[in-house]
mmCIF file of all heavy atoms in Angstrom:
data_model
loop_
_atom_site.group_PDB
_atom_site.id
_atom_site.type_symbol
_atom_site.label_atom_id
_atom_site.label_comp_id
_atom_site.label_asym_id
_atom_site.label_seq_id
_atom_site.Cartn_x
_atom_site.Cartn_y
_atom_site.Cartn_z
ATOM 1 N N GLN K 79 40.085 -0.576 10.645
ATOM 2 C CA GLN K 79 41.144 -0.638 9.689
ATOM 3 C C GLN K 79 40.910 0.393 8.551
ATOM 4 O O GLN K 79 39.788 0.454 8.047
ATOM 5 C CB GLN K 79 41.235 -2.055 9.081
ATOM 6 C CG GLN K 79 41.512 -3.103 10.104
ATOM 7 C CD GLN K 79 41.490 -4.538 9.515
ATOM 8 O OE1 GLN K 79 41.361 -4.687 8.291
ATOM 9 N NE2 GLN K 79 41.560 -5.529 10.353
ATOM 10 N N TRP K 80 41.987 1.116 8.158
ATOM 11 C CA TRP K 80 41.939 2.011 7.015
ATOM 12 C C TRP K 80 42.745 1.372 5.922
ATOM 13 O O TRP K 80 43.833 0.789 6.144
ATOM 14 C CB TRP K 80 42.506 3.334 7.357
ATOM 15 C CG TRP K 80 41.817 4.156 8.399
ATOM 16 C CD1 TRP K 80 42.162 4.315 9.708
ATOM 17 C CD2 TRP K 80 40.666 4.991 8.186
ATOM 18 N NE1 TRP K 80 41.311 5.182 10.315
ATOM 19 C CE2 TRP K 80 40.345 5.583 9.421
ATOM 20 C CE3 TRP K 80 39.831 5.227 7.079
ATOM 21 C CZ2 TRP K 80 39.284 6.455 9.596
ATOM 22 C CZ3 TRP K 80 38.788 6.103 7.224
ATOM 23 C CH2 TRP K 80 38.507 6.714 8.481
ATOM 24 N N SER K 81 42.389 1.596 4.643
ATOM 25 C CA SER K 81 43.148 1.177 3.519
ATOM 26 C C SER K 81 42.842 2.093 2.364
ATOM 27 O O SER K 81 41.853 2.815 2.358
ATOM 28 C CB SER K 81 42.913 -0.289 3.137
ATOM 29 O OG SER K 81 41.523 -0.453 2.833
ATOM 30 N N PRO K 82 43.710 2.166 1.308
ATOM 31 C CA PRO K 82 43.413 3.058 0.192
ATOM 32 C C PRO K 82 42.111 2.660 -0.486
ATOM 33 O O PRO K 82 41.708 1.462 -0.563
ATOM 34 C CB PRO K 82 44.635 2.819 -0.733
ATOM 35 C CG PRO K 82 45.705 2.377 0.165
ATOM 36 C CD PRO K 82 45.003 1.531 1.164
ATOM 37 N N ASN K 83 41.380 3.623 -1.034
ATOM 38 C CA ASN K 83 40.262 3.394 -1.877
ATOM 39 C C ASN K 83 40.674 2.582 -3.056
ATOM 40 O O ASN K 83 41.667 3.009 -3.743
ATOM 41 C CB ASN K 83 39.552 4.694 -2.302
ATOM 42 C CG ASN K 83 38.241 4.517 -3.000
ATOM 43 O OD1 ASN K 83 38.113 3.706 -3.898
ATOM 44 N ND2 ASN K 83 37.208 5.286 -2.593
ATOM 45 N N PRO K 84 40.046 1.473 -3.376
ATOM 46 C CA PRO K 84 40.531 0.635 -4.510
ATOM 47 C C PRO K 84 40.291 1.220 -5.911
ATOM 48 O O PRO K 84 40.796 0.662 -6.870
ATOM 49 C CB PRO K 84 39.773 -0.711 -4.327
ATOM 50 C CG PRO K 84 38.546 -0.287 -3.566
ATOM 51 C CD PRO K 84 38.952 0.839 -2.693
ATOM 52 N N ASP K 85 39.545 2.332 -5.992
ATOM 53 C CA ASP K 85 39.294 2.903 -7.276
ATOM 54 C C ASP K 85 40.559 3.468 -7.857
ATOM 55 O O ASP K 85 41.128 4.473 -7.300
ATOM 56 C CB ASP K 85 38.223 4.069 -7.144
ATOM 57 C CG ASP K 85 37.770 4.587 -8.409
ATOM 58 O OD1 ASP K 85 38.510 4.461 -9.493
ATOM 59 O OD2 ASP K 85 36.685 5.229 -8.497
ATOM 60 N N PRO K 86 41.043 2.997 -9.010
ATOM 61 C CA PRO K 86 42.315 3.518 -9.519
ATOM 62 C C PRO K 86 42.295 4.933 -10.078
ATOM 63 O O PRO K 86 43.302 5.582 -10.345
ATOM 64 C CB PRO K 86 42.641 2.480 -10.652
ATOM 65 C CG PRO K 86 41.297 1.977 -11.091
ATOM 66 C CD PRO K 86 40.469 1.962 -9.799
ATOM 67 N N ASN K 87 41.058 5.413 -10.235
ATOM 68 C CA ASN K 87 40.904 6.803 -10.774
ATOM 69 C C ASN K 87 40.957 7.862 -9.718
ATOM 70 O O ASN K 87 40.991 9.093 -10.035
ATOM 71 C CB ASN K 87 39.578 6.908 -11.513
ATOM 72 C CG ASN K 87 39.496 6.004 -12.737
ATOM 73 O OD1 ASN K 87 40.460 5.953 -13.532
ATOM 74 N ND2 ASN K 87 38.420 5.251 -12.856
ATOM 75 N N LEU K 88 41.060 7.470 -8.424
ATOM 76 C CA LEU K 88 41.076 8.420 -7.336
ATOM 77 C C LEU K 88 42.506 8.565 -6.824
ATOM 78 O O LEU K 88 43.203 7.544 -6.587
ATOM 79 C CB LEU K 88 40.161 7.969 -6.162
ATOM 80 C CG LEU K 88 38.660 8.007 -6.468
ATOM 81 C CD1 LEU K 88 37.931 7.411 -5.300
ATOM 82 C CD2 LEU K 88 38.215 9.415 -6.773
ATOM 83 N N HIS K 89 42.968 9.778 -6.736
ATOM 84 C CA HIS K 89 44.297 10.054 -6.247
ATOM 85 C C HIS K 89 44.223 11.136 -5.084
ATOM 86 O O HIS K 89 43.548 12.117 -5.234
ATOM 87 C CB HIS K 89 45.171 10.579 -7.371
ATOM 88 C CG HIS K 89 45.249 9.626 -8.540
ATOM 89 N ND1 HIS K 89 45.996 8.505 -8.551
ATOM 90 C CD2 HIS K 89 44.589 9.720 -9.742
ATOM 91 C CE1 HIS K 89 45.840 7.867 -9.729
ATOM 92 N NE2 HIS K 89 44.935 8.567 -10.495
ATOM 93 N N ASP K 90 44.940 10.834 -4.012
ATOM 94 C CA ASP K 90 44.931 11.767 -2.909
ATOM 95 C C ASP K 90 45.376 13.166 -3.350
ATOM 96 O O ASP K 90 46.285 13.284 -4.197
ATOM 97 C CB ASP K 90 45.866 11.271 -1.799
ATOM 98 C CG ASP K 90 45.372 10.001 -1.124
ATOM 99 O OD1 ASP K 90 44.190 9.646 -1.327
ATOM 100 O OD2 ASP K 90 46.161 9.336 -0.430
ATOM 101 N N VAL K 91 44.739 14.192 -2.728
ATOM 102 C CA VAL K 91 45.160 15.568 -3.015
ATOM 103 C C VAL K 91 46.050 15.973 -1.821
ATOM 104 O O VAL K 91 45.656 15.980 -0.661
ATOM 105 C CB VAL K 91 43.935 16.523 -3.072
ATOM 106 C CG1 VAL K 91 44.366 17.967 -3.237
ATOM 107 C CG2 VAL K 91 42.998 16.099 -4.212
ATOM 108 N N ILE K 92 47.296 16.278 -2.119
ATOM 109 C CA ILE K 92 48.271 16.582 -1.054
ATOM 110 C C ILE K 92 48.814 17.959 -1.271
ATOM 111 O O ILE K 92 49.472 18.299 -2.236
ATOM 112 C CB ILE K 92 49.445 15.575 -1.023
ATOM 113 C CG1 ILE K 92 48.925 14.130 -0.976
ATOM 114 C CG2 ILE K 92 50.385 15.891 0.059
ATOM 115 C CD1 ILE K 92 48.206 13.785 0.283
ATOM 116 N N GLU K 93 48.469 18.891 -0.328
ATOM 117 C CA GLU K 93 48.972 20.229 -0.288
ATOM 118 C C GLU K 93 49.634 20.498 1.021
ATOM 119 O O GLU K 93 49.563 19.646 1.913
ATOM 120 C CB GLU K 93 47.895 21.228 -0.570
ATOM 121 C CG GLU K 93 47.208 21.023 -1.944
ATOM 122 C CD GLU K 93 45.947 21.843 -2.115
ATOM 123 O OE1 GLU K 93 45.396 22.352 -1.125
ATOM 124 O OE2 GLU K 93 45.511 22.002 -3.277
ATOM 125 N N ASP K 94 50.241 21.676 1.168
ATOM 126 C CA ASP K 94 51.071 21.944 2.381
ATOM 127 C C ASP K 94 50.231 21.799 3.644
ATOM 128 O O ASP K 94 50.638 21.177 4.600
ATOM 129 C CB ASP K 94 51.698 23.336 2.256
ATOM 130 C CG ASP K 94 52.591 23.649 3.455
ATOM 131 O OD1 ASP K 94 53.243 22.690 3.874
ATOM 132 O OD2 ASP K 94 52.667 24.803 3.825
ATOM 133 N N ARG K 95 49.033 22.411 3.670
ATOM 134 C CA ARG K 95 48.206 22.410 4.876
ATOM 135 C C ARG K 95 46.802 21.945 4.530
ATOM 136 O O ARG K 95 45.851 22.250 5.293
ATOM 137 C CB ARG K 95 48.172 23.819 5.527
ATOM 138 C CG ARG K 95 49.550 24.230 6.072
ATOM 139 C CD ARG K 95 49.404 25.439 7.012
ATOM 140 N NE ARG K 95 50.688 25.845 7.575
ATOM 141 C CZ ARG K 95 50.845 26.779 8.483
ATOM 142 N NH1 ARG K 95 49.737 27.385 8.998
ATOM 143 N NH2 ARG K 95 52.057 27.061 8.912
ATOM 144 N N HIS K 96 46.637 21.229 3.446
ATOM 145 C CA HIS K 96 45.336 20.753 3.119
ATOM 146 C C HIS K 96 45.446 19.469 2.279
ATOM 147 O O HIS K 96 46.293 19.357 1.375
ATOM 148 C CB HIS K 96 44.616 21.807 2.216
ATOM 149 C CG HIS K 96 43.318 21.353 1.666
ATOM 150 N ND1 HIS K 96 43.133 20.929 0.313
ATOM 151 C CD2 HIS K 96 42.091 21.167 2.186
ATOM 152 C CE1 HIS K 96 41.928 20.587 0.091
ATOM 153 N NE2 HIS K 96 41.253 20.709 1.177
ATOM 154 N N VAL K 97 44.682 18.467 2.701
ATOM 155 C CA VAL K 97 44.716 17.188 1.960
ATOM 156 C C VAL K 97 43.332 16.621 1.799
ATOM 157 O O VAL K 97 42.401 16.953 2.645
ATOM 158 C CB VAL K 97 45.579 16.092 2.641
ATOM 159 C CG1 VAL K 97 47.016 16.587 2.807
ATOM 160 C CG2 VAL K 97 45.014 15.701 3.965
ATOM 161 N N ILE K 98 43.093 15.801 0.783
ATOM 162 C CA ILE K 98 41.926 14.999 0.670
ATOM 163 C C ILE K 98 42.387 13.555 0.422
ATOM 164 O O ILE K 98 43.087 13.313 -0.568
ATOM 165 C CB ILE K 98 41.014 15.442 -0.474
ATOM 166 C CG1 ILE K 98 40.537 16.909 -0.245
ATOM 167 C CG2 ILE K 98 39.767 14.513 -0.526
ATOM 168 C CD1 ILE K 98 39.697 17.442 -1.426
ATOM 169 N N LEU K 99 42.069 12.691 1.362
ATOM 170 C CA LEU K 99 42.511 11.266 1.289
ATOM 171 C C LEU K 99 41.259 10.417 0.921
ATOM 172 O O LEU K 99 40.156 10.595 1.496
ATOM 173 C CB LEU K 99 43.107 10.815 2.608
ATOM 174 C CG LEU K 99 44.294 11.626 3.161
ATOM 175 C CD1 LEU K 99 44.760 10.968 4.472
ATOM 176 C CD2 LEU K 99 45.368 11.760 2.199
ATOM 177 N N TYR K 100 41.460 9.536 0.025
ATOM 178 C CA TYR K 100 40.419 8.629 -0.401
ATOM 179 C C TYR K 100 40.708 7.236 0.236
ATOM 180 O O TYR K 100 41.656 6.574 -0.127
ATOM 181 C CB TYR K 100 40.338 8.493 -1.928
ATOM 182 C CG TYR K 100 40.024 9.850 -2.576
ATOM 183 C CD1 TYR K 100 41.063 10.602 -3.069
ATOM 184 C CD2 TYR K 100 38.712 10.323 -2.625
ATOM 185 C CE1 TYR K 100 40.759 11.858 -3.636
ATOM 186 C CE2 TYR K 100 38.415 11.563 -3.202
ATOM 187 C CZ TYR K 100 39.414 12.308 -3.738
ATOM 188 O OH TYR K 100 39.156 13.561 -4.272
ATOM 189 N N ARG K 101 39.848 6.816 1.112
ATOM 190 C CA ARG K 101 40.111 5.686 1.961
ATOM 191 C C ARG K 101 38.911 4.700 2.067
ATOM 192 O O ARG K 101 37.763 5.105 1.899
ATOM 193 C CB ARG K 101 40.522 6.066 3.395
ATOM 194 C CG ARG K 101 41.833 6.803 3.453
ATOM 195 C CD ARG K 101 42.998 5.971 3.127
ATOM 196 N NE ARG K 101 44.293 6.707 3.260
ATOM 197 C CZ ARG K 101 44.919 7.321 2.235
ATOM 198 N NH1 ARG K 101 44.325 7.321 1.015
ATOM 199 N NH2 ARG K 101 46.098 7.905 2.449
ATOM 200 N N LYS K 102 39.250 3.441 2.289
ATOM 201 C CA LYS K 102 38.287 2.442 2.632
ATOM 202 C C LYS K 102 38.424 2.161 4.120
ATOM 203 O O LYS K 102 39.512 2.105 4.603
ATOM 204 C CB LYS K 102 38.525 1.168 1.836
ATOM 205 C CG LYS K 102 37.605 -0.011 2.165
ATOM 206 C CD LYS K 102 37.920 -1.170 1.242
ATOM 207 C CE LYS K 102 36.941 -2.370 1.540
ATOM 208 N NZ LYS K 102 37.188 -3.524 0.618
ATOM 209 N N TYR K 103 37.297 1.985 4.791
ATOM 210 C CA TYR K 103 37.368 1.685 6.204
ATOM 211 C C TYR K 103 36.560 0.405 6.472
ATOM 212 O O TYR K 103 35.592 0.078 5.772
ATOM 213 C CB TYR K 103 36.788 2.761 7.043
ATOM 214 C CG TYR K 103 35.331 3.155 6.739
ATOM 215 C CD1 TYR K 103 34.274 2.506 7.299
ATOM 216 C CD2 TYR K 103 35.021 4.183 5.849
ATOM 217 C CE1 TYR K 103 32.935 2.809 6.951
ATOM 218 C CE2 TYR K 103 33.743 4.527 5.452
ATOM 219 C CZ TYR K 103 32.711 3.753 6.079
ATOM 220 O OH TYR K 103 31.381 4.103 5.732
ATOM 221 N N GLN K 104 37.025 -0.344 7.454
ATOM 222 C CA GLN K 104 36.294 -1.576 7.931
ATOM 223 C C GLN K 104 36.453 -1.589 9.436
ATOM 224 O O GLN K 104 37.468 -1.280 9.978
ATOM 225 C CB GLN K 104 36.892 -2.858 7.293
ATOM 226 C CG GLN K 104 36.787 -2.871 5.771
ATOM 227 C CD GLN K 104 37.315 -4.157 5.191
ATOM 228 O OE1 GLN K 104 36.638 -5.179 5.175
ATOM 229 N NE2 GLN K 104 38.543 -4.115 4.720
ATOM 230 N N VAL K 105 35.368 -2.039 10.083
ATOM 231 C CA VAL K 105 35.412 -2.212 11.550
ATOM 232 C C VAL K 105 34.941 -3.614 11.821
ATOM 233 O O VAL K 105 33.929 -4.084 11.335
ATOM 234 C CB VAL K 105 34.450 -1.145 12.267
ATOM 235 C CG1 VAL K 105 34.609 -1.388 13.782
ATOM 236 C CG2 VAL K 105 34.841 0.266 11.913
ATOM 237 N N TYR K 106 35.707 -4.291 12.684
ATOM 238 C CA TYR K 106 35.429 -5.695 13.075
ATOM 239 C C TYR K 106 35.177 -5.751 14.600
ATOM 240 O O TYR K 106 35.866 -5.067 15.359
ATOM 241 C CB TYR K 106 36.589 -6.573 12.694
ATOM 242 C CG TYR K 106 36.766 -6.822 11.217
ATOM 243 C CD1 TYR K 106 37.573 -5.901 10.474
ATOM 244 C CD2 TYR K 106 36.176 -7.849 10.520
ATOM 245 C CE1 TYR K 106 37.738 -6.058 9.089
ATOM 246 C CE2 TYR K 106 36.364 -8.013 9.200
ATOM 247 C CZ TYR K 106 37.128 -7.119 8.481
ATOM 248 O OH TYR K 106 37.313 -7.325 7.118
ATOM 249 N N ALA K 107 34.239 -6.578 14.972
ATOM 250 C CA ALA K 107 34.096 -6.961 16.365
ATOM 251 C C ALA K 107 34.859 -8.252 16.469
ATOM 252 O O ALA K 107 34.712 -9.210 15.724
ATOM 253 C CB ALA K 107 32.602 -7.158 16.668
ATOM 254 N N LEU K 108 35.648 -8.333 17.559
ATOM 255 C CA LEU K 108 36.579 -9.467 17.729
ATOM 256 C C LEU K 108 36.018 -10.296 18.920
ATOM 257 O O LEU K 108 36.307 -9.990 20.080
ATOM 258 C CB LEU K 108 37.968 -8.959 18.045
ATOM 259 C CG LEU K 108 38.555 -7.974 17.014
ATOM 260 C CD1 LEU K 108 39.965 -7.483 17.499
ATOM 261 C CD2 LEU K 108 38.648 -8.606 15.657
ATOM 262 N N PRO K 109 35.431 -11.435 18.640
ATOM 263 C CA PRO K 109 34.930 -12.305 19.697
ATOM 264 C C PRO K 109 36.082 -12.997 20.411
ATOM 265 O O PRO K 109 37.187 -13.095 19.871
ATOM 266 C CB PRO K 109 34.003 -13.305 18.968
ATOM 267 C CG PRO K 109 34.623 -13.361 17.558
ATOM 268 C CD PRO K 109 35.157 -11.990 17.299
ATOM 269 N N THR K 110 35.807 -13.465 21.598
ATOM 270 C CA THR K 110 36.826 -14.231 22.301
ATOM 271 C C THR K 110 37.197 -15.550 21.664
ATOM 272 O O THR K 110 38.283 -16.111 21.791
ATOM 273 C CB THR K 110 36.465 -14.484 23.773
ATOM 274 O OG1 THR K 110 35.097 -15.121 23.744
ATOM 275 C CG2 THR K 110 36.316 -13.148 24.526
ATOM 276 N N GLU K 111 36.186 -16.067 20.886
ATOM 277 C CA GLU K 111 36.380 -17.327 20.154
ATOM 278 C C GLU K 111 35.727 -17.184 18.761
ATOM 279 O O GLU K 111 34.757 -16.443 18.588
ATOM 280 C CB GLU K 111 35.790 -18.532 20.865
ATOM 281 C CG GLU K 111 36.443 -18.865 22.180
ATOM 282 C CD GLU K 111 35.835 -20.095 22.864
ATOM 283 O OE1 GLU K 111 34.893 -20.689 22.213
ATOM 284 O OE2 GLU K 111 36.256 -20.456 23.932
ATOM 285 N N GLY K 112 36.250 -17.855 17.745
ATOM 286 C CA GLY K 112 35.656 -17.838 16.457
ATOM 287 C C GLY K 112 36.133 -16.664 15.602
ATOM 288 O O GLY K 112 37.126 -15.927 15.967
ATOM 289 N N ASP K 113 35.512 -16.458 14.448
ATOM 290 C CA ASP K 113 35.945 -15.477 13.482
ATOM 291 C C ASP K 113 35.516 -14.082 13.879
ATOM 292 O O ASP K 113 34.445 -13.895 14.541
ATOM 293 C CB ASP K 113 35.363 -15.824 12.106
ATOM 294 C CG ASP K 113 35.899 -17.144 11.591
ATOM 295 O OD1 ASP K 113 37.019 -17.525 11.971
ATOM 296 O OD2 ASP K 113 35.226 -17.817 10.789
ATOM 297 N N ALA K 114 36.228 -13.084 13.423
ATOM 298 C CA ALA K 114 35.851 -11.718 13.593
ATOM 299 C C ALA K 114 34.596 -11.381 12.777
ATOM 300 O O ALA K 114 34.378 -11.980 11.709
ATOM 301 C CB ALA K 114 36.979 -10.737 13.215
ATOM 302 N N GLU K 115 33.778 -10.509 13.308
ATOM 303 C CA GLU K 115 32.518 -10.113 12.613
ATOM 304 C C GLU K 115 32.655 -8.630 12.111
ATOM 305 O O GLU K 115 32.843 -7.776 12.921
ATOM 306 C CB GLU K 115 31.330 -10.227 13.597
ATOM 307 C CG GLU K 115 30.028 -9.786 12.983
ATOM 308 C CD GLU K 115 28.945 -9.634 14.023
ATOM 309 O OE1 GLU K 115 29.283 -9.593 15.235
ATOM 310 O OE2 GLU K 115 27.746 -9.502 13.648
ATOM 311 N N ARG K 116 32.535 -8.450 10.813
ATOM 312 C CA ARG K 116 32.550 -7.133 10.305
ATOM 313 C C ARG K 116 31.244 -6.425 10.614
ATOM 314 O O ARG K 116 30.201 -6.918 10.301
ATOM 315 C CB ARG K 116 32.855 -7.122 8.802
ATOM 316 C CG ARG K 116 33.181 -5.725 8.252
ATOM 317 C CD ARG K 116 33.761 -5.808 6.885
ATOM 318 N NE ARG K 116 32.867 -6.478 5.898
ATOM 319 C CZ ARG K 116 33.226 -6.941 4.744
ATOM 320 N NH1 ARG K 116 34.527 -6.824 4.332
ATOM 321 N NH2 ARG K 116 32.387 -7.467 3.926
ATOM 322 N N ILE K 117 31.368 -5.240 11.173
ATOM 323 C CA ILE K 117 30.111 -4.498 11.578
ATOM 324 C C ILE K 117 30.067 -3.131 10.837
ATOM 325 O O ILE K 117 29.075 -2.415 11.066
ATOM 326 C CB ILE K 117 30.051 -4.310 13.059
ATOM 327 C CG1 ILE K 117 31.333 -3.646 13.614
ATOM 328 C CG2 ILE K 117 29.795 -5.631 13.763
ATOM 329 C CD1 ILE K 117 31.271 -3.311 15.121
#
């Protein structure tokens, strides 16, 4: 999962052919039963 970086002082740099995106990432393992495990 991707989401915006929660730091309010960071703002994406958007240009015609160049960008810098500030993002938070999380990866979960999804078991067949029980809760997902963040890895």
Side-chain angles (χ1 to χ4, degrees):
Q79 302 175 5
W80 296 102
S81 59
N83 188 311
D85 186 340
N87 297 313
L88 292 176
H89 304 282
D90 292 345
V91 176
I92 307 296
E93 299 171 343
D94 186 33
R95 294 194 180 186
H96 172 258
V97 301
I98 301 175
L99 306 183
Y100 298 98
R101 294 293 182 264
K102 177 177 181 176
Y103 59 85
Q104 299 182 81
V105 182
Y106 291 87
L108 306 178
T110 54
E111 294 182 1
D113 296 333
E115 176 192 15
R116 190 166 60 195
I117 55 176

